[in-house]
Amino acid sequence: MKVALIGVGQAGGKITERLARFDAEMGFGAVQGALAVNSAKPDLRSLEYVDTQLIGADRVNGHGVGGDNELGTEVMQSDIQQVLNGLDGRVTSQAEAIFVVAGLGGGTGSGGAPVLVHHLQQVYDVPVYALGVLPGRNEGALYQANAGRSLKTVVREADSTLLVDNDAWHEQGESVEGAFETINERIAQRVGLLFASGEAVEGVGESVVDSSEVINTLRAGGIAALGYATEVASEDSGENIRTAMSVSRQALLTGTSLPDATTADSALLVVAGQPDRIPRKGVERARRWLEDETGSMQVRGGDFPLDSDRLGALVLLGGAERSDRIQEFMERAREAKRAQEREEEKTDPAEQFADDRLENLF
Ligand code: GDP
């Protein structure tokens, strides 16, 4: 699937950079163009694989918006024309979808991404998706409250919002910085494979996934999640049938970007590996298992030829908003918002709010 990527804010820019780099290094050619937009100049300087666009310079002078996502909304709104102009030539006639990438808990990405998605929807005919990062449980109250607000708005504006929970894709005990690195790397690999799996591959049979299957899986709207798992493939085809089932199960049950999201309106299963090791029977069995497990009658399947000694399963879920994880997150976000409001009432409202905001950033 040919895509254009626009990262907003720090996390958005870093993840977009990783995605563009992964696509280039693998030689997939799915990423047609990538742009990072930010109100903080230093965050843009470290990016190499993407074009950059500074916004809000007249308001915040390149220093960013702190954790103020309302200011993030305002700066995107006032500079929207500049951002859209900057996309000329990047969202080429070839792009089949646009992804707006952002950490939902911060300021620029949290406030700016929904505004950008809204405007892109007016201009482009292709689907506009969001790729949003949810703050982990241990991140401060400001992040939770910001992400709650941002998530509600972006889900309304985007054709689908693919969520990655910051608690999902890293090892226990890593430092925050180390964890971000790991998570970003995993997002790049997995989302990068999803883009690439919708690419036409020359000389391969009919079951290769088509872009339209990715788009149809996401047509359910709402929230999407992505799962992934791999195991070493065997020389023995009977054994690979078992492996295809096993990696599909792990991808959904333990490898997903949104822990516990197993109920969905639609799903897509892509089994990746060397073509002669991908077992037809195993893929079909895993696809039927996914139908039972997700409660969806619309489970598409296909394979993706990859020169690897492993078999991998990539599971995309569409319409996964009924998951417990989302309910739990929204409750946390509401509680954070209520706590913020109580603090605001307690003393001098303006000052107290500013203090909290700073404290929560560290
Ligand atoms: P912004 O620049 O104002 O949009 O703010 P950030 O992008 O820093 O957003 C803060 C949120 O994103 C918080 O939930 C952070 O934990 C998360 N975040 C920041 N940087 C990264 C990153 O590199 N990777 C991931 N996965 N999350 C990040």
Side-chain angles (χ1 to χ4, degrees):
M1 174 159 76
K2 301 249 183 275
V3 295
L5 306 177
I6 311 163
V8 190
Q10 183 184 207
K14 283 197 290 183
I15 293 167
T16 299
E17 161 106 345
R18 277 301 181 106
L19 272 164
R21 195 172 94 187
F22 176 78
D23 189 72
E25 285 175 354
M26 296 294 286
F28 288 145
V31 174
Q32 291 288 295
L35 175 71
V37 181
N38 207 329
S39 62
K41 210 169 183 175
D43 290 344
L44 290 175
R45 278 204 200 106
S46 55
L47 305 174
E48 291 173 30
Y49 286 76
V50 300
D51 296 309
T52 59
Q53 170 87 56
L54 184 70
I55 54 169
D58 52 339
R59 294 286 297 275
V60 299
N61 199 22
H63 297 306
V65 300
D68 186 344
N69 74 349
E70 291 182 20
L71 186 52
T73 302
E74 284 170 33
V75 298
M76 180 63 82
Q77 194 75 59
S78 30
D79 286 347
I80 191 69
Q81 207 47 52
Q82 227 174 301
V83 175
L84 293 175
N85 292 346
L87 287 171
D88 272 356
R90 287 192 190 86
V91 181
T92 59
S93 55
Q94 294 216 34
E96 294 162 291
I98 305 172
F99 276 78
V100 173
V101 187
L104 300 185
T108 306
S110 173
V115 176
L116 178 59
V117 171
H118 175 84
H119 286 274
L120 290 169
Q121 294 282 26
Q122 320 291 314
V123 179
Y124 295 100
D125 286 336
V126 294
V128 182
Y129 301 122
L131 170 56
V133 175
L134 277 189
R137 285 185 180 82
N138 295 333
E139 295 188 36
L142 177 72
Y143 288 125
Q144 312 294 344
N146 282 353
R149 174 170 175 262
S150 182
L151 181 62
K152 269 195 252 172
T153 328
V154 85
V155 164
R156 202 170 54 222
E157 301 292 348
D159 285 295
S160 176
T161 300
L162 175 56
L163 282 185
V164 177
D165 187 317
N166 257 346
D167 286 334
W169 278 348
H170 68 92
E171 317 300 333
Q172 291 301 321
E174 275 180 310
S175 69
V176 174
E177 270 310 308
F180 283 169
E181 273 299 298
T182 310
I183 298 166
N184 296 354
E185 183 64 34
R186 292 188 178 169
I187 295 175
Q189 271 176 8
R190 291 150 199 215
V191 178
L193 265 185
L194 178 72
F195 294 158
S197 73
E199 281 293 284
V201 181
E202 269 178 49
V204 182
E206 55 192 284
S207 49
V208 168
V209 182
D210 189 78
S211 303
S212 65
E213 301 190 69
V214 177
I215 290 170
N216 283 332
T217 303
L218 294 175
R219 205 177 292 282
I223 287 170
L226 189 64
Y228 185 63
T230 69
E231 272 182 38
V232 175
S234 164
E235 296 294 335
D236 176 69
S237 57
E239 186 61 19
N240 282 337
I241 295 181
R242 191 202 59 78
T243 307
M245 260 312 282
S246 160
V247 286
S248 302
R249 211 180 268 135
Q250 289 171 53
L252 181 71
L253 300 180
T254 57
T256 166
S257 64
L258 199 58
D260 307 325
T262 51
T263 307
D265 289 336
S266 53
L268 172 68
L269 167 68
V270 180
V271 177
Q274 284 177 14
D276 58 349
R277 301 220 175 133
I278 299 178
R280 285 269 64 70
K281 221 173 170 181
V283 176
E284 185 47 29
R285 205 176 276 174
R287 204 188 59 75
R288 281 201 305 268
W289 174 81
L290 259 179
E291 279 181 357
D292 284 345
E293 200 64 24
T294 57
S296 163
M297 294 309 287
Q298 286 190 69
V299 179
R300 297 169 174 85
D303 30 273
F304 181 58
L306 203 60
D307 189 17
S308 162
D309 58 358
R310 303 179 78 83
L311 271 186
L314 192 66
V315 173
L316 175 67
L317 299 180
E321 52 280 354
R322 293 184 298 281
S323 97
D324 291 347
R325 188 71 188 83
I326 294 294
Q327 305 309 327
E328 185 199 317
F329 165 74
M330 287 312 289
E331 184 44 47
R332 206 161 71 214
R334 274 193 293 272
E335 177 48 41
K337 185 159 170 269
R338 283 194 292 268
Q340 259 181 2
E341 284 163 0
R342 282 198 297 274
E343 283 298 323
E344 275 174 65
E345 282 163 16
K346 232 175 15 191
T347 49
D348 178 335
E351 289 231 336
Q352 184 70 46
F353 189 49
D355 281 354
D356 277 354
R357 213 146 53 193
L358 285 178
E359 221 160 69
N360 278 312
L361 280 176
F362 296 105

